[in-house]
Amino acid sequence: MAQGMTDLISLYEDRIADGMLTRDDAQEAVLPQFERIRAALAEPVKRGFFRKAPPPPKGLYLWGGVGRGKSMLMDMFVETLDDIPARRVHFHAFMQEVHAGLHKAREDGVEDALAPVAEAVTKSVRVLAFDEMQITDITDAMIVGRLFDMLHAGGVAVVTTSNRHPDDLYKDGLNRQLFLPFIDHIKEQLEVWELISPTDYRQNRLEGLPVYFTPIGPEAREKIREVWADLTGGPAEPLALQVKGREIVLPAFRNGVARASFYDLCGQMLGPADYLAIAEAIKVLVLEDIPQLSRNNFNEAKRFVILIDALYEAKVRLISSAAAEPEMLYVEGEGTFEFERTASRLREMQGKDWGQ
Ligand SMILES: Nc1ncnc2c1ncn2[C@@H]1O[C@H](COP(=O)(O)OP(=O)(O)OP(=O)(O)O)[C@@H](O)[C@H]1O
Ligand SMILES: [Mg+2]
């Protein structure tokens, strides 16, 4: 093993010894799978001048319930890759890039528009680690199928996390039969592994923690910073969502957790479809700086009501800082009656068992 390189099993043990992680048999059981991939890639590449890329090791499709530690393990795996070029990216963000790349290649008149997109990846990395693979439309389904084949041919190992077994991807989707061959490819190219841990660690971390901070100020900001660090374990990236042909951007996102200010989400011209898309895309929302609402910001209040409804229905966990307690946020102006439901939901969403 090259100097400075740690394998994932040792890294996991270290984190347990440091008290950062609780030992989990199901997590331990999957570590050799990641390790298998790292070890294969750490072998020196015997690539002749004209020879094709060597076939990649079988990748890994890690799936299971929320909060089981899939993204965390994948992040740790990427850390252990050291000088093996790898890219860790949210599946959704990657697909946006692919669409942009396809668009450009078509403009340039490239016959197979996907080829340069795949080549850009195979030239730069040997591991592509996708977080939260999900397929929601047939265009993506078809693109992803071919792209995975091209990545495989180009020697790139794919590692991905998902909440569903491959057989349940794009379930009940339109023209799903077109997607079925791709499911077979996934099963051939990736080891499908369920992380069957009984523990939802995200829930555990949030349990008993205050999740509603008032008033707004340095203290609330610091608390929120701590919760963010605890839940995400890494730097944020923006996440762009396509809604009815428009793009909305969540400024900061990682491992299912998004962070935005009240102004970002309720101070802009967003509507119900946007809030539904946001609620669908995330598991936890950190919403900062909810102001005192009044007649003067009636539109913001109205949007806030819709946002909370969408989050509530999708069972998204909410962590927020606000100028006042929920019941006191909006007490004068049109729609105060409707706001009572919002306040009550805000209370319920603070409950220890909420979101399970
Ligand atoms: N063994 C563990 N001990 C302590 N904390 C853990 C452990 N495993 C995971 N966690 C923590 O639990 C939280 C959720 O983990 P993670 O985001 O990896 O879950 P996930 O399986 O990817 O969930 P989802 O399917 O919702 O994306 C993170 O804050 C992570 O650091
Ligand atoms: Mg995850």
Side-chain angles (χ1 to χ4, degrees):
M1 206 178 287
Q3 234 194 341
M5 208 183 226
T6 327
D7 63 287
L8 183 56
I9 296 165
S10 314
L11 184 60
Y12 190 80
E13 287 299 330
D14 288 351
R15 300 247 159 119
I16 288 172
D18 290 349
M20 291 164 78
L21 297 182
T22 313
R23 185 180 299 282
D24 182 306
D25 292 344
Q27 292 183 349
E28 274 197 289
V30 70
L31 302 181
Q33 286 295 330
F34 282 113
E35 197 39 36
R36 167 180 68 71
I37 298 170
R38 190 191 64 81
L41 293 169
E43 294 280 308
V45 187
K46 297 188 209 76
R47 194 200 290 229
F49 204 69
F50 295 107
R51 254 189 292 147
K52 284 195 306 190
K58 201 170 187 190
L60 180 63
Y61 183 104
L62 185 61
W63 70 282
V66 298
R68 263 51 181 185
K70 300 179 297 296
S71 302
M72 177 196 78
L73 293 177
M74 197 175 77
D75 281 350
M76 287 169 68
F77 163 69
V78 172
E79 259 180 64
T80 65
L81 289 177
D82 222 27
D83 52 6
I84 300 166
R87 179 158 182 225
R88 179 240 193 254
V89 59
H90 189 257
F91 183 74
H92 197 82
F94 184 75
M95 285 311 290
Q96 305 271 33
E97 281 177 27
V98 168
H99 282 291
L102 283 174
H103 184 74
K104 176 161 189 312
R106 287 197 193 105
E107 272 184 354
D108 296 346
V110 177
E111 197 178 328
D112 184 354
L114 200 55
V117 175
E119 201 182 86
V121 179
T122 56
K123 267 191 174 157
S124 59
V125 300
R126 297 191 65 209
V127 179
L128 198 54
F130 285 125
D131 199 26
E132 299 190 2
M133 166 139 170
Q134 59 188 95
I135 305 283
T136 49
D137 66 75
I138 191 65
T139 323
D140 274 4
M142 301 318 291
I143 293 172
V144 164
R146 288 196 56 227
L147 184 70
F148 269 37
D149 285 345
M150 289 175 174
L151 294 179
H152 189 81
V156 172
V158 169
V159 171
T160 180
T161 78
S162 172
N163 290 126
R164 293 167 175 238
H165 185 277
D167 285 337
D168 295 330
L169 281 174
Y170 194 51
K171 211 174 180 187
D172 310 320
L174 215 58
N175 293 319
R176 186 168 188 269
Q177 73 283 358
L178 297 173
F179 182 63
L180 296 179
F182 172 56
I183 293 179
D184 292 332
H185 287 210
I186 291 187
K187 291 183 190 165
E188 277 161 32
Q189 293 168 6
L190 313 180
E191 182 77 34
V192 177
W193 191 285
E194 181 180 6
L195 186 59
I196 329 180
S197 169
T199 315
D200 176 347
Y201 291 97
R202 186 180 293 123
Q203 188 76 19
N204 270 14
R205 285 189 178 220
L206 283 168
E207 212 169 87
L209 274 188
V211 291
Y212 192 91
F213 302 99
T214 181
I216 296 166
E219 208 174 310
R221 197 166 298 282
E222 175 56 20
K223 288 272 190 275
I224 282 194
R225 195 197 57 75
E226 282 169 21
V227 181
W228 169 270
D230 194 38
L231 284 180
T232 59
E237 309 177 331
L239 178 68
L241 304 171
Q242 298 291 331
V243 186
K244 297 183 177 160
R246 283 176 302 113
E247 188 175 87
I248 46 171
V249 180
L250 290 169
F253 176 83
R254 189 178 181 94
N255 286 354
V257 188
R259 181 173 181 173
S261 72
F262 178 88
Y263 181 79
D264 291 330
L265 297 188
C266 302
Q268 320 281 337
M269 293 282 275
L270 298 181
D274 302 306
Y275 295 128
L276 285 175
I278 292 170
E280 279 289 300
I282 65 178
K283 282 149 188 161
V284 179
L285 176 65
V286 178
L287 184 65
E288 287 185 274
D289 303 338
I290 305 168
Q292 182 68 53
L293 298 162
S294 72
R295 276 189 186 88
N296 304 328
N297 39 25
F298 165 68
N299 284 319
E300 283 84 348
K302 208 165 70 179
R303 292 189 201 111
F304 184 60
V305 168
I306 303 170
L307 170 66
I308 296 305
D309 282 345
L311 297 175
Y312 183 89
E313 293 302 330
K315 289 215 167 295
V316 172
R317 298 283 318 223
L318 181 67
I319 297 158
S320 43
S321 64
E325 291 296 336
E327 295 74 17
M328 303 309 286
L329 275 175
Y330 188 56
V331 289
E332 49 126 36
E334 208 181 317
T336 45
F337 177 74
E338 283 78 11
F339 200 85
E340 278 178 34
R341 184 188 69 237
T342 304
S344 143
R345 289 188 160 185
L346 283 171
R347 279 275 169 227
E348 187 183 348
M349 289 164 90
Q350 292 175 43
K352 152 171 169 319
D353 297 328
W354 198 83
Q356 281 191 311

